[in-house]
Amino acid sequence: MSVKLGCIADDFTGATDLAGLLARSGVPVSLRIGLPAEPPETAETAPFEVIALKCRTAPVADAVAETRAALDWLRRAGAERFFWKYCSTFDSTAEGNIGPVAEALMVDLGTDQTIYCPAFPENGRSIYMGNLFVGQVPLAESPMKDHPLTPMRDSNLMRLLAPQVSGAVGLADRLTIARGASAVRERLAALKADGTPHVIVDAVADEDLANIAEAVQDWPLITGGSALAMPLPGLYKASGQLAADVESGDRPKLGTGSIVLSGSCSAMTRQQVAQYLQFAQGYRLDPLMLAKEGADAALDWLKAQDPDAPKIIYATAEPEDVKAAQAELGVAQAGEIVEAALAGLACAARDMGISRFVSAGGETSGAVTKALGVARLTIGAEIAPGVPWTFARSEGRDIALALKSGNFGSVDFFATAFEKLEVS
Ligand code: ADP
C-alpha cells in the first residue's frame, strides 16, 4: 500500500508508542527498526510507516544525517508528508537534536514552517503558553530535571528550542488553539508572514490536538509527540486520502507457546513480575551468577518447560540487589550481561517453537528484538497505552512481540497481554 505518512522517531520505545497510537484507528502501521536495509522501491509498505532511530542523544551531525537518510527512504517509498517524533518531555540537550533535525528536514522538503507539539494529555503532558507540564508540575520541576542524559532544567519550549535552531521561534497559544482549526491556520499564517519558521503549539487536551492536526494535516512536516499524530488517520480517511475501509491485514497464524522476558527493574515491572509469578513458572537471573557461569542453567530450565505453560525469566530485582550487582560488576557490565542472557534465551525460546513474547524493559526490548533478527514489526492490538502487540518474522517463523518499557502497563500486564492476543 502506498505510504501516506512517513514518521521518524528518535528512539525505539517512542516509535512503538507512536505506531500503537496510529494503529488505534485500525489502519495498517509498520515499524522499522533502524534505517531499512531493504530498498523502499521493493519493500512491502503500509500507509503509516514509522522508522525507529536511536538518535536522541547522538551528536547533532549524526542525528541529522540519520534522519535525512530515513526521510529519503520514506520519500522514495512514496510518502509526501512526514512526522518527526520526539519525547513528550522534549528530551534534548542544549545542542539538540530536536531543532537541528527539524531544520534539516525542512530544507530537504523545501518547506519554510513547522510546528512543535510534544503534548500528550492522556499521559499528563500538556503545554500552556509555551510551557510544558508533566502532570501538575512544570517540566523543570518534574523528575526529568535529573535525567542522566537529557536533564530538562527549563519548562519553556520556546527558550528550549531557540538555541537549537537558526530561525525565529513563535507561539500559537491555547486561546487560539481552542477556537478551532481555522483559528490555528490563521495564527500559523500570520507567524509565517512575520518570518517565523518554528512554532511551539499549546495543547492541554485531546480536542486541542484534534484542532492542530486538522489545521496542519497537509503540511509536508509536522513535529511533536506521538499524541499529535493520533488524529491523522481519521483525518486522512475523512478527506478521502485514505480509503475509509482500509484495515490492517490479517495477523499471522502463530504457533504455540509463550514467554515473558523481563530485564526491567522499574517499580511497575517489579509489581508485574511478582503478580505473574503467582501462577506462572519463573526463573530468576542473577547477574553475578551469569557473570561467573553464563546462562546455561537458565537455558536448561527453559528447555525443561512446557512451551505452552505460562513462564517468565526475569532479572527484575529490588534496587538494593541491583546496586549490589552494579557495585560488583559495574553498571554497564551488569546491564549488558543481563541483556545478553535475555537475548540468547529469546532465541532459544523461538527455536523451541515459542511464538508469543513479552519483553519488559526499553533496553531489554532493544536487545531482544535485535537478537531475534527483527527488522520490521506490524502493529496489532493495544494492550495498554503505548504498548501494542506487534508481529514479526524471526528466522522464518511468525512471532508476536509485546515490548514494554519501564513503568508502562498495570499490575496484571503480562496475563492481560496474552489474553488480548488471543481475542484480537
Ligand atoms: P526500563 O525500561 O525499566 O528502564 P531497561 O531494560 O531499559 O528497563 O533497563 C534496565 C537495565 O537494567 C538493563 O540494562 C538490564 O540489563 C539491567 N538489569 C536488569 N536486571 C538487573 C539486575 N538484577 N542487576 C543489575 N542490572 C540489571
Side-chain angles (χ1 to χ4, degrees):
M1 274 186 264
S2 71
V3 183
K4 299 290 175 207
L5 185 71
C7 307
I8 306 170
D10 68 353
D11 87 338
F12 179 53
T13 42
T16 318
D17 168 20
L18 171 63
L21 292 187
L22 288 167
R24 269 190 191 172
S25 58
V27 298
V29 181
S30 145
L31 167 58
R32 294 168 199 271
I33 303 167
L35 185 67
E38 201 181 356
E41 291 78 9
T42 53
E44 191 194 323
T45 54
F48 293 85
E49 282 283 337
V50 182
I51 295 183
L53 299 178
K54 202 173 187 308
C55 64
R56 183 167 297 166
T57 54
V60 173
D62 295 357
V64 165
E66 279 178 43
T67 44
R68 289 185 68 200
L71 178 79
D72 179 58
W73 194 96
L74 291 163
R75 285 178 103 173
R76 282 163 48 215
E80 290 175 356
R81 273 162 291 175
F82 302 88
F83 194 95
W84 163 225
K85 149 70 174 86
Y86 38 82
C87 191
S88 61
T89 41
F90 211 70
D91 303 13
S92 51
T93 62
E95 289 76 41
N97 292 326
I98 294 174
V101 166
E103 274 195 326
L105 300 182
M106 286 167 79
V107 170
D108 284 3
L109 292 168
T111 182
D112 48 13
Q113 193 178 47
T114 194
I115 60 163
Y116 300 77
C117 185
F120 194 162
E122 202 179 321
N123 279 355
R125 311 313 193 234
S126 59
I127 311 167
Y128 186 67
M129 298 300 160
N131 293 283
L132 181 58
F133 291 83
V134 176
Q136 296 183 340
V137 297
L139 175 66
E141 292 170 33
S142 77
M144 281 306 296
K145 71 182 188 303
D146 300 318
H147 191 280
L149 303 175
T150 52
M152 303 306 289
R153 299 282 163 81
D154 194 343
S155 307
N156 186 286
L157 293 174
M158 289 171 289
R159 278 198 303 262
L160 286 167
L161 183 63
Q164 298 186 19
V165 289
S166 55
V169 178
L171 174 68
D173 75 31
R174 171 94 211 295
L175 305 180
T176 304
I177 305 303
R179 284 173 30 230
S182 44
V184 179
R185 271 191 217 103
E186 268 169 40
R187 173 68 183 147
L188 293 169
L191 284 164
K192 193 173 190 167
D194 272 358
T196 304
H198 307 284
V199 185
I200 304 291
V201 182
D202 277 356
V204 300
D206 282 347
E207 293 73 35
D208 298 332
L209 294 174
N211 291 343
I212 300 162
E214 187 183 337
V216 299
Q217 60 179 306
D218 294 323
W219 283 26
L221 181 69
I222 310 174
T223 91
S226 52
L228 175 61
M230 202 164 37
L232 293 173
L235 288 163
Y236 291 180
K237 280 185 186 175
S239 64
Q241 296 170 74
L242 193 65
D245 57 356
V246 66
E247 270 178 26
S248 45
D250 290 341
R251 52 171 260 191
K253 290 222 172 356
L254 297 169
T256 54
S258 69
I259 190 163
V260 177
L261 298 160
S262 178
S264 160
C265 299
S266 297
M268 181 46 83
T269 309
R270 297 204 305 273
Q271 290 184 45
Q272 291 162 339
V273 170
Q275 164 92 3
Y276 199 56
L277 281 170
Q278 289 177 15
F279 60 92
Q281 297 295 317
Y283 186 95
R284 190 175 74 85
L285 293 174
D286 173 359
L288 297 173
M289 291 286 283
L290 287 174
K292 271 194 223 112
E293 295 171 14
D296 284 353
L299 210 54
D300 291 344
W301 179 87
L302 174 62
K303 287 187 181 145
Q305 300 306 304
D306 171 358
D308 284 326
K311 67 187 91 43
I312 173 167
I313 300 182
Y314 60 103
T316 307
E318 296 300 313
E320 55 274 18
D321 294 329
V322 173
K323 279 202 195 90
Q326 289 174 336
E328 182 107 7
L329 301 168
V331 175
Q333 176 80 351
E336 277 162 27
I337 287 174
V338 169
E339 284 168 35
L342 288 169
L345 288 158
C347 294
R350 175 206 54 209
D351 296 342
M352 280 169 67
I354 289 175
S355 56
R356 296 160 180 78
F357 296 79
V358 173
S359 159
E363 293 299 323
T364 306
S365 297
V368 164
T369 32
K370 192 166 177 204
L372 289 171
V374 168
R376 181 186 181 213
L377 302 159
T378 54
I379 309 301
E382 194 172 33
I383 306 161
V387 200
W389 270 109
T390 69
F391 302 101
R393 303 268 304 162
S394 174
E395 289 277 314
R397 293 171 203 248
D398 286 313
I399 59 167
L401 278 165
L403 308 166
K404 183 197 89 78
S405 66
N407 284 316
F408 281 56
S410 52
V411 177
D412 56 358
F413 178 85
F414 298 135
T416 307
F418 293 121
E419 279 161 23
K420 282 243 163 102
L421 185 58
E422 294 322 310
V423 297
S424 64

